[in-house]
Amino acid sequence: MTALPPTAERPAATPWRWLAGAAAWGLGAACSWALDGWASPGSQALPLVLAGALAAAWWPAWATALGCVAATLWFNWSFVAPRGSLQVGQPQDALLLVTLLAVSLGVTWLAQRQAALQQRLRLQAAQAHQLQHLAEHLAGCANHKAAVQALHTELLRCGVGRCVVSLRHVADALGALGPEHASENERSGLALCTSQAQALGPSTGRYETQPAHYLPLRAPGGCQGAVLLEWPAEATPDLPHVQALCRHLGGHLERLHMAQQAQAARQQAQDHALRSTVLAAVAHDHRTPLASILSAATALRDEDARWSPAQRQELSARIASEALQLARITDNALQLARLDVQPGSLQRDWQSLEELVGSVLSRQRQRTPSTRLRARVAPDLPLVRCDAVLVVQALENLVCLLYTSRCV
């Protein structure tokens, strides 16, 4: 993509443009000579009016106006009686000369105005296309670095020399567009521009003695940062257009920040749901051994019941076993709570699935001797690397849930 003209000023006159304007005047003078004796003086002046309109397309306004005055004087010298002098013999000739000069200047002014309007329209079309291109490019930027780089590319097309960006919600964004390091004064200017959301520097009405421009990255939700811009000495930047480019980046940065906040909120909700699930599982794990301990302790406390020494020993052993299981469950719950902080705290080792399932069945039969449990494990299953305590606990929870749902 080509670079944009910085302003809507008329292009500088080059030698070929001067030659084209001079050729237009020469052609007009030749036509007036050719009409001498064949047409009226008013008709002879028309080619000069047309030559002034043509010359206005190539010459600056002041040069074209001087050409109109010179053409009027030449017409007076060449065709108005007495010829060969600048004197005017008849009043109608004076009116003709005044009319020729006024019409030539008027047509020249209109041609200059039309050329300037066309130049401005071309510039506005190019700027609108650049804004659209930046918006389309930003739509595909998923992070701050890519978005800032997209703005930098468009600013280079506008003729910027040095660019430094400071983003409000990104820690290391200062100087993200190049190896240049911002000075302490420039950092203060970027911070002030961000906090006040107003442009600083030349032609802004605020801190005009600064050598660089500071433009805010405005957005509907607040200023998202600031941009420091330094231009070459010969450049005349179009600050409103550059500010519009910065506004596009500010809006996109705000959308990225809102998307990050939404993602954080979703992650927090998921963490909260997981925490609730873990608490529910821990409560369920504690409920089964506590119920068994309470049942055995209540039976031992019953004075009317006549328990044999073997039965009392069995109840005491159940209480001790369930208390030990409860301690294991508590340790496992604490271990699960530390997984987020220390992901490698699992005690994993190679285990046999037959032994894990057998341990689960043995404990469940101790809790519910009247329940008949059967398990079928394929004989060719490989060893698995896992935390045996946590896997057994998970399988016990599954068996308890199945047993409870069947009883209901």
Side-chain angles (χ1 to χ4, degrees):
M1 302 180 70
T2 58
L4 289 178
T7 62
E9 294 179 353
R10 188 176 179 84
T14 57
W16 74 266
R17 299 180 70 90
W18 287 107
L19 292 175
W25 283 116
L27 181 61
C31 292
S32 295
W33 273 112
L35 292 175
D36 189 20
W38 295 88
S40 63
S43 300
Q44 284 182 271
L46 293 179
L48 296 178
V49 176
L50 179 59
L54 293 176
W58 295 295
W59 283 8
W62 62 269
T64 309
L66 290 179
C68 292
V69 173
T72 303
L73 294 176
W74 174 81
F75 186 84
N76 183 18
W77 180 276
S78 302
F79 304 111
V80 175
R83 297 192 179 191
S85 67
L86 296 179
Q87 296 180 359
V88 180
Q90 300 294 330
Q92 60 269 22
D93 293 335
L95 180 61
L96 174 61
L97 293 175
V98 172
T99 304
L100 172 60
L101 180 60
V103 172
S104 299
L105 292 176
V107 171
T108 299
W109 179 80
L110 291 176
Q112 292 280 347
R113 179 179 174 82
Q114 184 64 26
L117 288 175
Q118 290 179 354
Q119 176 70 12
R120 189 174 294 109
L121 288 176
R122 286 193 295 269
L123 176 63
Q124 291 176 353
Q127 291 177 345
H129 179 71
Q130 186 182 28
L131 290 172
Q132 180 182 2
H133 181 265
L134 177 60
E136 293 175 352
H137 196 174
L138 289 176
C141 297
N143 53 64
H144 298 83
K145 183 177 181 180
V148 170
Q149 189 60 44
L151 176 66
H152 186 216
T153 301
E154 300 301 330
L155 290 177
L156 289 178
R157 294 180 54 212
C158 295
V160 69
R162 176 172 176 254
C163 179
V164 178
V165 176
S166 173
L167 302 185
R168 182 178 180 183
H169 300 292
V170 180
D172 299 327
L174 192 64
L177 294 183
E180 300 91 352
H181 296 284
S183 64
E184 189 65 28
N185 183 47
E186 292 173 342
R187 292 176 182 268
S188 301
L190 288 169
L192 181 62
C193 182
T194 302
S195 62
Q196 297 185 356
Q198 293 184 358
L200 311 176
S203 304
T204 62
R206 304 178 74 251
Y207 299 95
E208 294 194 358
T209 57
Q210 293 293 325
H213 288 94
Y214 297 84
L215 300 182
L217 300 175
R218 297 192 185 100
C223 186
Q224 301 299 308
V227 181
L228 182 150
L229 301 174
E230 288 186 355
W231 307 86
E234 67 278 3
T236 53
D238 188 349
L239 291 182
H241 175 63
V242 176
Q243 182 64 78
L245 294 173
C246 295
R247 192 179 296 112
H248 270 58
L249 177 61
H252 183 71
L253 292 176
E254 184 180 42
R255 289 190 292 272
L256 288 179
H257 181 62
M258 293 177 64
Q260 291 177 353
Q261 288 182 330
Q263 179 63 26
R266 286 192 296 268
Q267 185 63 39
Q268 186 177 4
Q270 292 176 359
D271 294 343
H272 181 73
L274 179 60
R275 201 174 294 113
S276 300
T277 303
V278 171
L279 290 177
V282 170
H284 180 272
D285 292 341
H286 283 71
R287 190 178 296 113
T288 301
L290 283 175
S292 181
I293 292 173
L294 181 61
S295 175
T298 303
L300 287 175
R301 192 184 59 182
D302 190 358
E303 297 179 357
D304 296 335
R306 296 180 180 179
W307 303 103
S308 63
Q311 291 174 331
R312 290 180 180 275
Q313 185 177 3
E314 181 182 353
L315 291 175
S316 299
R318 183 187 300 178
I319 292 175
S321 176
E322 295 297 339
L324 183 60
Q325 176 65 11
L326 184 61
R328 289 198 190 100
I329 293 175
T330 302
D331 292 340
N332 293 338
L334 295 175
Q335 187 177 17
L336 287 174
R338 291 193 297 266
L339 286 180
D340 290 339
V341 181
Q342 299 176 351
S345 61
L346 293 177
Q347 303 298 326
R348 292 183 294 180
D349 199 357
W350 295 102
Q351 305 290 340
S352 171
L353 289 177
E354 293 182 356
E355 295 180 1
L356 297 177
V357 173
S359 177
V360 173
L361 294 179
S362 176
R363 292 183 182 180
Q364 189 63 28
R365 285 166 182 164
Q366 292 179 1
R367 295 193 184 99
T368 57
S370 60
T371 303
R372 185 177 181 182
L373 297 175
R374 290 183 301 176
R376 185 166 60 103
V377 181
D380 56 347
L381 289 178
L383 297 178
V384 294
R385 191 169 184 267
C386 63
D387 191 317
V389 177
L390 295 180
V391 172
V392 169
Q393 181 180 344
L395 293 176
E396 285 182 357
N397 292 340
L398 180 59
V399 171
C400 290
L401 288 175
L402 294 175
Y403 176 74
T404 302
S405 61
R406 184 174 181 181
C407 293
V408 175

